[in-house]
Amino acid sequence: MEKGLETTGIPSMEELEKTPGFPSSKRLMEGPVAVIECLQEIPCDPCETACPLGAIEVGKPITNLPELDEDKCTGCGICIPLCPGLAIFVIDYTYSEDEALVTFPYEFLPLPEEDSLVNATDRSGRPLTKGRIVKVLARKQFDRTVVVSIAVLKKYAQRVRGIVLNRGKGE
Ligand code: SF4
Ligand code: SF4
């Protein structure tokens, strides 16, 4: 069994699946949807107002964990750069026959190039597999958080949460 948040600082799948921000397996298979990996009861709620469809609720007290209404969520990704904890991702298992699209916040430079092959990392930042950068979205209203989408084999979609660029090593 995976060690969890308390031991490693990294949430296990078991812990994540118990939170109200985690979509059901059924919804995950139906198309792009937000995956909110927010497990600590901290006073924070920008995600609630970030979603134009009202698919995220924190409510009162403000330390509630965010709850995702998976039927309202379209997986648009607007909430991703507006979460100060970098805790929101969008997964699209319908991207292609073999690949899922994982979309995540990115706050490093240089930015990855679209269509490049990069190392996709797990929640601890360890390289896990290769993935293809599909989209790099930078907007003024996102401040300095860029939204990156990477295509990876479906079996990695619930583990890939970032990338690492090895400039000068063939990337
Ligand atoms: S992905 Fe879009 S629709 Fe879904 S919770 Fe985020 S902002 Fe709302
Ligand atoms: S904005 Fe991010 S860190 Fe804050 S409550 Fe929402 S998901 Fe958690």
Side-chain angles (χ1 to χ4, degrees):
M1 201 169 78
E2 273 181 293
K3 290 175 183 162
L5 191 63
E6 213 161 285
T7 321
T8 62
I10 314 282
S12 65
M13 278 309 295
E14 201 183 359
E15 287 172 322
L16 288 166
E17 282 166 357
K18 283 186 194 152
T19 63
F22 208 87
S24 66
S25 309
K26 178 178 175 289
R27 177 62 186 84
L28 277 162
M29 293 307 142
E30 288 171 357
V33 66
V35 173
I36 306 175
E37 302 196 350
C38 183
L39 284 83
Q40 284 168 317
E41 294 175 346
I42 51 168
C44 184
D45 69 353
C47 52
E48 186 168 57
T49 45
C51 177
L53 301 177
I56 304 179
E57 186 180 345
V58 174
K60 288 189 175 49
I62 193 176
T63 50
N64 285 342
L65 293 183
E67 183 171 351
L68 177 74
D69 184 331
E70 62 181 29
D71 296 323
K72 283 187 187 166
C73 177
T74 59
C76 69
I78 288 174
C79 53
I80 292 175
L82 301 175
C83 164
L86 309 179
I88 308 183
F89 306 86
V90 167
I91 298 184
D92 180 5
Y93 273 99
T94 63
Y95 177 67
S96 79
E97 199 174 324
D98 304 323
E99 294 171 320
L101 196 68
V102 179
T103 302
F104 56 91
Y106 190 75
E107 294 192 331
F108 299 100
L109 288 173
L111 294 177
E113 286 170 20
E114 290 184 353
D115 286 327
S116 62
L117 269 187
V118 300
N119 287 312
T121 57
D122 65 12
R123 291 182 179 86
S124 69
R126 265 194 308 256
L128 186 66
T129 182
K130 289 276 181 189
R132 183 172 39 86
I133 299 292
V134 173
K135 203 168 178 186
V136 178
L137 197 62
R139 293 266 188 280
K140 227 183 206 168
Q141 63 268 37
F142 294 173
D143 197 7
R144 278 180 287 268
T145 305
V146 173
V147 176
V148 175
S149 299
I150 185 171
V152 292
L153 288 177
K154 287 186 189 198
K155 66 177 179 180
Y156 294 114
Q158 279 300 21
R159 293 173 64 201
V160 164
R161 290 297 179 267
I163 53 169
V164 64
L165 301 182
N166 292 326
R167 293 286 174 189
K169 292 185 183 172
E171 285 174 7

